[in-house]
Structures are given as C-alpha cells and as structure tokens.
C-alpha cells in the first residue's frame, strides 16, 4: 500500500514539474502583449535633450485643437521602463537603412526611399514594449505617437518607419494628421489593412494590432471576387477589437447584410505574417421574415 502511495505521489510531482515547464516554455514563445516601434531617419548627430523634447511635447506642442495632447497621465510614459528611445548611427547599423529588405512583401515602400535615406546618417528608435499584464488604456500610445512627431520635427527627419504597421510616413504627413486630429491613439494612425492573393484565392489582414496588445487579424482564403467585402469585414472587425481591446465574437454590418465574426487562437507564421495572427471567420446571418 505504501509503495502504491509513493508511486502516486511521485507521478503527481512529475506531472506538476512538467506542467510548470511547459507553461514557462510556452510563455517564452508568446509575443509581447504590447509592441510599438518606430524608426525615425535623421541627419542629427545626437538625440535631442530630454528638456528640449519635453518642451516640444508639452509647452510647445502645436497639436492643441482638441485640448492638451500630453497631460500628466500620458507624460508618465516617459519614465516608464517599457518605453525607450535609442540612437543608431548608420555605420554601426547598416541594415536599418535598408528597410526595403527587412519589410514584409506587402509593405508600401516609397519609390524614392533610397535617395531619401542616402541623406540621413542616423535612426532614432522609439519603442514601447510590454510583456506583462494587458494595459487598460492607451495613454502610452498617445505619448509614443506625439513623441515620434516631436523627435522628427526637432531633428528635421524626412522619413518615419512604423515597424509594426509596416508603414512609412513623411514627417509632414504625420504632423498634418495630428493637426487634423490630435488623438495619437486612434486606429487610423496605427493599423493598415492589406490584401495578398494567389491565382485563385486571396487574404485580407491587418498590421499594427500589437500596439494595443492584440494579434493581427487574417481572413482567408476567400475567392478573388470577394476582395471588397473581405477588406471591409476585416477593417470593421479590427476597429471594434481596437476599442475594447479584445477578440470577442461580434456582429459587423455591411452591404445590406449582418455578419457574425469569430476569431481563432493566435499563432505565429501564418500565410501573411511572420509574427502572431488570429484567423477570422465570417458567417452571414440569415434574416428571419
């Protein structure tokens, strides 16, 4: 009887250790809950001082139409350990100045990128990365966006690369967007919707959802003649997810129909992404007459 008890106890310990090991192993392969990253290309020799940056963000912030863009809550991001500003010189970081090589194939790369970057000698890297509990509000994103805008203006940077969204901004274009609407955490500034296809099927998907701690969304394969509705449903679903933020089942209205939207478990290395993505399913709701 004692031997049976000891055997059961031994197995219980083994399974407990195995459970903890697998849980830790899985967590090591999970992506950061929140990730936002920008590369600001400039000819500046050094980073602006903290004083100069904060003056531009606070006292001299030009984007004040809707009120003060950076208040106490947003300003706390500057001292948050998850926020970082780095400075990379071209000679030590040559690949950063070849983003067309690093980009995903669907990224919209400016045709004049080579000539623009030829005139720069450094990249300012702005990141906010959280691997802890989900963040309840997006004040950090408001700060990051305005910080990127401020650094680009102070250093006269011609080009900004949004790594998560795989999107390039001219400095004046981001500035004008914040002039139009100073909300730096809005969906339109951070997420792009793309489409890729083969000869007989296509995929609609997002880039940039990681900025609010979500995997990107992928819908497909779908017939090529469903491209318009596929893009519409992915954008509608992504906007709703951005507000919450979560991937809960929802209804999206469009084209005179109602669609039930559900999401699968996030996985890495899908058809469209090297990073984490959740598949989306859309089912047309039958109207009762």
């Amino acid at each position: 009887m004692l031997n049976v008890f000891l055997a059961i106890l031994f197995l219980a310990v083994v399974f407990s250790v195995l459970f903890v090991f697998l849980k830790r192993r899985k967590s090591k392969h999970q992506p950061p809950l929140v990730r936002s990253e920008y590369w600001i290309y400039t000819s500046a020799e050094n980073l602006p001082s903290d004083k100069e940056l904060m003056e531009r963000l606070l006292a001299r912030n030009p984007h004040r139409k809707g009120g003060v863009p950076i208040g106490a809550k947003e300003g706390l991001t500057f001292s948050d350990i998850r926020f970082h500003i780095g400075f990379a010189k071209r000679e030590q970081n040559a690949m950063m100045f070849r983003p067309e090589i690093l980009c995903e194939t669907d990224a919209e790369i400016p045709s004049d990128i080579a000539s623009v970057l030829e005139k720069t000698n450094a990249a300012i890297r702005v990141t906010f990365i959280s691997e802890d509990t989900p963040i309840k509000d997006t004040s950090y994103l408001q700060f990051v966006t305005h910080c990127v805008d401020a650094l680009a203006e102070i250093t006269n940077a011609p080009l900004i690369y949004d790594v998560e969204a795989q999107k390039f901004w001219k400095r004046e274009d981001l500035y004008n967007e914040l002039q139009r609407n100073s909300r730096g955490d809005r969906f339109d500034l951070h997420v792009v919707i793309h489409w890729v296809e083969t000869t007989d099927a296509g995929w609609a998907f997002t880039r940039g959802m990681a900025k609010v701690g979500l995997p990107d969304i992928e819908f497909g394969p779908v017939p090529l003649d469903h491209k318009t509705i596929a893009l519409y449903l992915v954008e509608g679903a992504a906007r709703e997810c951005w507000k919450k933020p979560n991937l809960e089942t929802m209804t999206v209205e469009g084209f005179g129909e109602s669609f039930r939207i559900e999401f699968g478990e996030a996985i890495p290395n899908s058809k469209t992404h090297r990073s984490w993505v959740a598949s989306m399913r859309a089912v047309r709701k039958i109207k009762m007459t």
Side-chain angles (χ1 to χ4, degrees), residues 226 229 254-260 282-287:
H226 289 190
I229 192 169
F255 299 90
E257 303 280 356
S258 295
F259 298 86
R260 178 182 171 86
V283 179
R284 181 182 286 106
K285 289 186 174 181
I286 305 299
K287 294 183 178 180

Side-chain angles (χ1 to χ4, degrees), residues 32-60:
L33 290 175
V34 175
R35 184 177 184 91
S36 181
E37 179 174 353
Y38 292 85
W39 299 354
I40 305 166
Y41 294 99
T42 178
S43 295
E45 292 298 326
N46 298 287
L47 279 174
S49 67
D50 290 352
K51 179 181 178 182
E52 185 178 11
L53 175 59
M54 294 308 291
E55 282 183 352
R56 168 57 172 73
L57 283 169
L58 300 174
R60 296 192 296 107

Side-chain angles (χ1 to χ4, degrees), residues 192-204:
V192 296
I193 314 296
H194 280 276
W195 170 265
V196 296
E197 61 185 50
T198 61
T199 55
D200 55 1
W203 288 258

Side-chain angles (χ1 to χ4, degrees), residues 90-263:
R90 179 193 285 269
E91 51 264 33
Q92 286 89 34
N93 302 273
M95 285 302 294
M96 288 186 73
F97 292 81
R98 298 294 306 276
E100 72 277 11
I101 296 177
L102 303 177
C103 285
E104 300 284 359
T105 56
D106 56 277
E108 297 178 2
I109 302 171
S111 59
D112 61 346
I113 190 169
S115 60
V116 170
L117 295 187
E118 187 179 359
K119 302 171 185 176
T120 65
N121 62 3
I124 301 172
R125 183 171 179 258
V126 179
T127 59
F128 185 94
I129 300 173
S130 174
E131 298 178 345
D132 302 317
T133 56
I135 295 174
K136 295 181 180 180
D137 67 70
T138 54
S139 57
Y140 64 93
L141 202 52
Q142 174 82 353
F143 183 87
V144 167
T145 306
H146 278 267
C147 182
V148 169
D149 170 67
L151 287 167
E153 182 184 85
I154 293 170
T155 65
N156 197 30
L159 193 66
I160 301 163
Y161 175 42
D162 179 344
V163 177
E164 284 302 316
Q166 297 280 294
K167 179 177 180 178
F168 291 88
W169 290 91
K170 292 181 179 179
R171 180 186 76 248
E172 59 270 24
D173 290 342
L174 179 58
Y175 180 93
N176 290 337
E177 273 294 322
L178 292 174
Q179 280 286 289
R180 184 178 67 83
N181 183 340
S182 64
R183 283 290 302 273
D185 59 351
R186 52 196 163 96
F187 177 88
D188 294 335
L189 286 181
H190 297 286
V191 180
V192 296
I193 314 296
H194 280 276
W195 170 265
V196 296
E197 61 185 50
T198 61
T199 55
D200 55 1
W203 288 258
F205 57 95
T206 66
R207 291 202 185 277
M209 298 294 284
K211 297 177 189 178
V212 291
L214 295 176
D216 275 307
I217 297 169
E218 177 185 81
F219 182 37
V222 298
L224 295 178
D225 59 356
H226 289 190
K227 175 181 177 180
T228 299
I229 192 169
L231 289 168
Y232 178 88
L233 291 176
V234 167
E235 180 173 353
R239 285 183 180 275
E240 287 302 310
C241 293
W242 185 269
K243 295 175 186 176
K244 297 175 183 179
N246 60 52
L247 296 182
E248 291 180 352
T249 299
M250 66 180 70
T251 297
V252 173
E253 306 284 342
F255 299 90
E257 303 280 356
S258 295
F259 298 86
R260 178 182 171 86
I261 305 295
E262 298 177 341
F263 303 95

